[in-house]
mmCIF file of all heavy atoms in Angstrom:
data_model
loop_
_atom_site.group_PDB
_atom_site.id
_atom_site.type_symbol
_atom_site.label_atom_id
_atom_site.label_comp_id
_atom_site.label_asym_id
_atom_site.label_seq_id
_atom_site.Cartn_x
_atom_site.Cartn_y
_atom_site.Cartn_z
ATOM 1 N N VAL I 62 7.275 -12.587 -14.110
ATOM 2 C CA VAL I 62 7.020 -11.765 -12.947
ATOM 3 C C VAL I 62 7.690 -12.285 -11.785
ATOM 4 O O VAL I 62 8.342 -11.571 -10.958
ATOM 5 C CB VAL I 62 5.503 -11.658 -12.720
ATOM 6 C CG1 VAL I 62 5.167 -10.984 -11.390
ATOM 7 C CG2 VAL I 62 4.819 -10.883 -13.893
ATOM 8 N N VAL I 63 7.690 -13.631 -11.545
ATOM 9 C CA VAL I 63 8.405 -14.308 -10.447
ATOM 10 C C VAL I 63 9.906 -14.011 -10.527
ATOM 11 O O VAL I 63 10.521 -13.665 -9.510
ATOM 12 C CB VAL I 63 8.105 -15.804 -10.416
ATOM 13 C CG1 VAL I 63 9.059 -16.474 -9.475
ATOM 14 C CG2 VAL I 63 6.637 -15.992 -10.050
ATOM 15 N N ALA I 64 10.442 -14.086 -11.790
ATOM 16 C CA ALA I 64 11.855 -13.926 -11.928
ATOM 17 C C ALA I 64 12.235 -12.452 -11.599
ATOM 18 O O ALA I 64 13.451 -12.190 -11.321
ATOM 19 C CB ALA I 64 12.239 -14.276 -13.377
ATOM 20 N N ALA I 65 11.351 -11.479 -11.791
ATOM 21 C CA ALA I 65 11.621 -10.062 -11.516
ATOM 22 C C ALA I 65 11.833 -9.821 -10.028
ATOM 23 O O ALA I 65 12.408 -8.784 -9.629
ATOM 24 C CB ALA I 65 10.524 -9.180 -12.067
ATOM 25 N N GLY I 66 11.415 -10.743 -9.164
ATOM 26 C CA GLY I 66 11.646 -10.517 -7.735
ATOM 27 C C GLY I 66 10.379 -10.556 -7.010
ATOM 28 O O GLY I 66 9.264 -10.472 -7.504
ATOM 29 N N ALA I 67 10.509 -10.639 -5.651
ATOM 30 C CA ALA I 67 9.383 -10.746 -4.746
ATOM 31 C C ALA I 67 8.477 -9.487 -4.865
ATOM 32 O O ALA I 67 8.995 -8.385 -5.142
ATOM 33 C CB ALA I 67 9.876 -10.953 -3.303
ATOM 34 N N LEU I 68 7.199 -9.705 -4.582
ATOM 35 C CA LEU I 68 6.224 -8.636 -4.452
ATOM 36 C C LEU I 68 5.999 -7.924 -5.765
ATOM 37 O O LEU I 68 5.576 -6.733 -5.769
ATOM 38 C CB LEU I 68 6.562 -7.632 -3.373
ATOM 39 C CG LEU I 68 6.710 -8.279 -2.030
ATOM 40 C CD1 LEU I 68 7.306 -7.350 -0.987
ATOM 41 C CD2 LEU I 68 5.338 -8.822 -1.464
ATOM 42 N N GLN I 69 6.225 -8.515 -6.911
ATOM 43 C CA GLN I 69 5.990 -7.926 -8.260
ATOM 44 C C GLN I 69 4.622 -8.242 -8.729
ATOM 45 O O GLN I 69 4.057 -9.368 -8.379
ATOM 46 C CB GLN I 69 7.064 -8.348 -9.237
ATOM 47 C CG GLN I 69 8.460 -7.756 -8.946
ATOM 48 C CD GLN I 69 8.451 -6.223 -9.076
ATOM 49 O OE1 GLN I 69 7.988 -5.722 -10.126
ATOM 50 N NE2 GLN I 69 9.062 -5.638 -8.076
ATOM 51 N N MET I 70 4.097 -7.496 -9.643
ATOM 52 C CA MET I 70 2.756 -7.859 -10.212
ATOM 53 C C MET I 70 2.705 -7.545 -11.631
ATOM 54 O O MET I 70 3.548 -6.766 -12.186
ATOM 55 C CB MET I 70 1.558 -7.167 -9.510
ATOM 56 C CG MET I 70 1.759 -5.885 -8.844
ATOM 57 S SD MET I 70 0.291 -5.453 -8.010
ATOM 58 C CE MET I 70 0.203 -3.751 -8.480
ATOM 59 N N ALA I 71 1.765 -8.171 -12.268
ATOM 60 C CA ALA I 71 1.385 -7.883 -13.691
ATOM 61 C C ALA I 71 -0.023 -7.352 -13.760
ATOM 62 O O ALA I 71 -0.820 -7.773 -12.952
ATOM 63 C CB ALA I 71 1.542 -9.215 -14.505
ATOM 64 N N GLN I 72 -0.262 -6.542 -14.720
ATOM 65 C CA GLN I 72 -1.592 -6.061 -15.028
ATOM 66 C C GLN I 72 -2.039 -6.760 -16.317
ATOM 67 O O GLN I 72 -1.373 -6.645 -17.361
ATOM 68 C CB GLN I 72 -1.726 -4.517 -15.256
ATOM 69 C CG GLN I 72 -3.096 -4.058 -15.447
ATOM 70 C CD GLN I 72 -3.172 -2.536 -15.618
ATOM 71 O OE1 GLN I 72 -2.142 -1.882 -15.973
ATOM 72 N NE2 GLN I 72 -4.246 -2.001 -15.340
ATOM 73 N N LEU I 73 -3.103 -7.506 -16.236
ATOM 74 C CA LEU I 73 -3.655 -8.149 -17.396
ATOM 75 C C LEU I 73 -4.932 -7.379 -17.838
ATOM 76 O O LEU I 73 -5.862 -7.229 -17.047
ATOM 77 C CB LEU I 73 -4.059 -9.632 -17.022
ATOM 78 C CG LEU I 73 -2.924 -10.438 -16.369
ATOM 79 C CD1 LEU I 73 -3.475 -11.818 -15.994
ATOM 80 C CD2 LEU I 73 -1.715 -10.512 -17.270
ATOM 81 N N ILE I 74 -4.912 -6.905 -19.044
ATOM 82 C CA ILE I 74 -6.002 -6.124 -19.641
ATOM 83 C C ILE I 74 -6.728 -6.809 -20.751
ATOM 84 O O ILE I 74 -6.088 -7.178 -21.678
ATOM 85 C CB ILE I 74 -5.463 -4.730 -20.109
ATOM 86 C CG1 ILE I 74 -4.759 -3.992 -18.921
ATOM 87 C CG2 ILE I 74 -6.592 -3.875 -20.598
ATOM 88 C CD1 ILE I 74 -4.051 -2.730 -19.364
ATOM 89 N N THR I 75 -7.999 -6.956 -20.586
ATOM 90 C CA THR I 75 -8.809 -7.599 -21.600
ATOM 91 C C THR I 75 -8.777 -6.837 -22.888
ATOM 92 O O THR I 75 -9.101 -5.654 -22.889
ATOM 93 C CB THR I 75 -10.241 -7.826 -21.117
ATOM 94 O OG1 THR I 75 -10.239 -8.349 -19.812
ATOM 95 C CG2 THR I 75 -11.111 -8.612 -22.115
ATOM 96 N N ASP I 76 -8.414 -7.540 -23.969
ATOM 97 C CA ASP I 76 -8.369 -6.947 -25.306
ATOM 98 C C ASP I 76 -7.596 -5.628 -25.400
ATOM 99 O O ASP I 76 -7.707 -4.858 -26.338
ATOM 100 C CB ASP I 76 -9.736 -6.607 -25.845
ATOM 101 C CG ASP I 76 -10.628 -7.946 -26.061
ATOM 102 O OD1 ASP I 76 -9.941 -8.968 -26.328
ATOM 103 O OD2 ASP I 76 -11.835 -7.862 -25.895
ATOM 104 N N GLY I 77 -6.641 -5.398 -24.426
ATOM 105 C CA GLY I 77 -5.851 -4.302 -24.442
ATOM 106 C C GLY I 77 -6.597 -2.950 -24.217
ATOM 107 O O GLY I 77 -6.045 -1.816 -24.501
ATOM 108 N N ASP I 78 -7.755 -2.969 -23.733
ATOM 109 C CA ASP I 78 -8.695 -1.846 -23.616
ATOM 110 C C ASP I 78 -8.828 -1.562 -22.080
ATOM 111 O O ASP I 78 -9.499 -2.370 -21.332
ATOM 112 C CB ASP I 78 -9.998 -2.157 -24.246
ATOM 113 C CG ASP I 78 -10.993 -0.973 -24.208
ATOM 114 O OD1 ASP I 78 -10.704 0.043 -23.417
ATOM 115 O OD2 ASP I 78 -12.052 -1.072 -24.890
ATOM 116 N N THR I 79 -8.348 -0.448 -21.606
ATOM 117 C CA THR I 79 -8.369 -0.112 -20.181
ATOM 118 C C THR I 79 -9.824 0.108 -19.708
ATOM 119 O O THR I 79 -10.073 0.160 -18.507
ATOM 120 C CB THR I 79 -7.558 1.055 -19.818
ATOM 121 O OG1 THR I 79 -7.928 2.170 -20.613
ATOM 122 C CG2 THR I 79 -6.040 0.778 -20.051
ATOM 123 N N ASN I 80 -10.755 0.176 -20.625
ATOM 124 C CA ASN I 80 -12.194 0.287 -20.266
ATOM 125 C C ASN I 80 -12.875 -1.061 -20.142
ATOM 126 O O ASN I 80 -14.033 -1.127 -19.962
ATOM 127 C CB ASN I 80 -12.969 1.188 -21.263
ATOM 128 C CG ASN I 80 -12.456 2.645 -21.188
ATOM 129 O OD1 ASN I 80 -12.378 3.185 -20.031
ATOM 130 N ND2 ASN I 80 -12.255 3.228 -22.221
ATOM 131 N N ARG I 81 -12.039 -2.123 -20.346
ATOM 132 C CA ARG I 81 -12.552 -3.429 -20.138
ATOM 133 C C ARG I 81 -11.999 -4.079 -18.847
ATOM 134 O O ARG I 81 -11.135 -3.476 -18.218
ATOM 135 C CB ARG I 81 -12.073 -4.366 -21.323
ATOM 136 C CG ARG I 81 -12.489 -3.867 -22.697
ATOM 137 C CD ARG I 81 -13.892 -4.317 -23.188
ATOM 138 N NE ARG I 81 -14.303 -5.637 -22.844
ATOM 139 C CZ ARG I 81 -14.101 -6.723 -23.617
ATOM 140 N NH1 ARG I 81 -13.512 -6.652 -24.803
ATOM 141 N NH2 ARG I 81 -14.539 -7.905 -23.197
ATOM 142 N N PRO I 82 -12.477 -5.201 -18.411
ATOM 143 C CA PRO I 82 -11.944 -5.789 -17.230
ATOM 144 C C PRO I 82 -10.422 -5.958 -17.133
ATOM 145 O O PRO I 82 -9.832 -6.292 -18.229
ATOM 146 C CB PRO I 82 -12.644 -7.125 -17.078
ATOM 147 C CG PRO I 82 -13.904 -6.957 -17.902
ATOM 148 C CD PRO I 82 -13.516 -6.067 -19.018
ATOM 149 N N HIS I 83 -9.848 -5.797 -15.993
ATOM 150 C CA HIS I 83 -8.482 -6.049 -15.889
ATOM 151 C C HIS I 83 -8.127 -6.625 -14.492
ATOM 152 O O HIS I 83 -8.920 -6.464 -13.528
ATOM 153 C CB HIS I 83 -7.536 -4.827 -16.132
ATOM 154 C CG HIS I 83 -7.840 -3.573 -15.323
ATOM 155 N ND1 HIS I 83 -8.762 -2.736 -15.620
ATOM 156 C CD2 HIS I 83 -7.288 -3.173 -14.155
ATOM 157 C CE1 HIS I 83 -8.806 -1.749 -14.772
ATOM 158 N NE2 HIS I 83 -7.934 -2.010 -13.905
ATOM 159 N N LEU I 84 -7.042 -7.392 -14.466
ATOM 160 C CA LEU I 84 -6.722 -8.121 -13.224
ATOM 161 C C LEU I 84 -5.242 -7.864 -12.989
ATOM 162 O O LEU I 84 -4.310 -8.008 -13.796
ATOM 163 C CB LEU I 84 -6.886 -9.623 -13.492
ATOM 164 C CG LEU I 84 -6.644 -10.557 -12.356
ATOM 165 C CD1 LEU I 84 -7.800 -10.414 -11.305
ATOM 166 C CD2 LEU I 84 -6.610 -11.988 -12.733
ATOM 167 N N PHE I 85 -5.015 -7.383 -11.653
ATOM 168 C CA PHE I 85 -3.636 -7.300 -11.222
ATOM 169 C C PHE I 85 -3.261 -8.560 -10.589
ATOM 170 O O PHE I 85 -3.990 -8.994 -9.680
ATOM 171 C CB PHE I 85 -3.462 -6.093 -10.231
ATOM 172 C CG PHE I 85 -3.341 -4.814 -10.871
ATOM 173 C CD1 PHE I 85 -4.433 -3.891 -11.066
ATOM 174 C CD2 PHE I 85 -2.070 -4.307 -11.325
ATOM 175 C CE1 PHE I 85 -4.325 -2.683 -11.650
ATOM 176 C CE2 PHE I 85 -1.991 -3.028 -11.878
ATOM 177 C CZ PHE I 85 -3.075 -2.234 -12.049
ATOM 178 N N VAL I 86 -2.113 -9.153 -10.871
ATOM 179 C CA VAL I 86 -1.699 -10.464 -10.438
ATOM 180 C C VAL I 86 -0.341 -10.206 -9.715
ATOM 181 O O VAL I 86 0.680 -9.957 -10.342
ATOM 182 C CB VAL I 86 -1.473 -11.537 -11.524
ATOM 183 C CG1 VAL I 86 -1.058 -12.849 -10.909
ATOM 184 C CG2 VAL I 86 -2.818 -11.649 -12.296
ATOM 185 N N GLY I 87 -0.336 -10.329 -8.373
ATOM 186 C CA GLY I 87 0.891 -10.229 -7.582
ATOM 187 C C GLY I 87 1.412 -11.550 -7.171
ATOM 188 O O GLY I 87 0.596 -12.421 -6.785
ATOM 189 N N LEU I 88 2.740 -11.704 -7.289
ATOM 190 C CA LEU I 88 3.396 -13.028 -6.945
ATOM 191 C C LEU I 88 4.499 -12.739 -5.966
ATOM 192 O O LEU I 88 5.323 -11.852 -6.102
ATOM 193 C CB LEU I 88 3.834 -13.662 -8.224
ATOM 194 C CG LEU I 88 2.786 -14.025 -9.203
ATOM 195 C CD1 LEU I 88 3.367 -14.379 -10.609
ATOM 196 C CD2 LEU I 88 1.910 -15.125 -8.688
#
């Protein structure tokens, strides 16, 4: 994500299920 450039983020999804908790991580 850092290598992709400034102000990029990843979405982390628990067990791959969008009905479970998820965290957007911006770097």
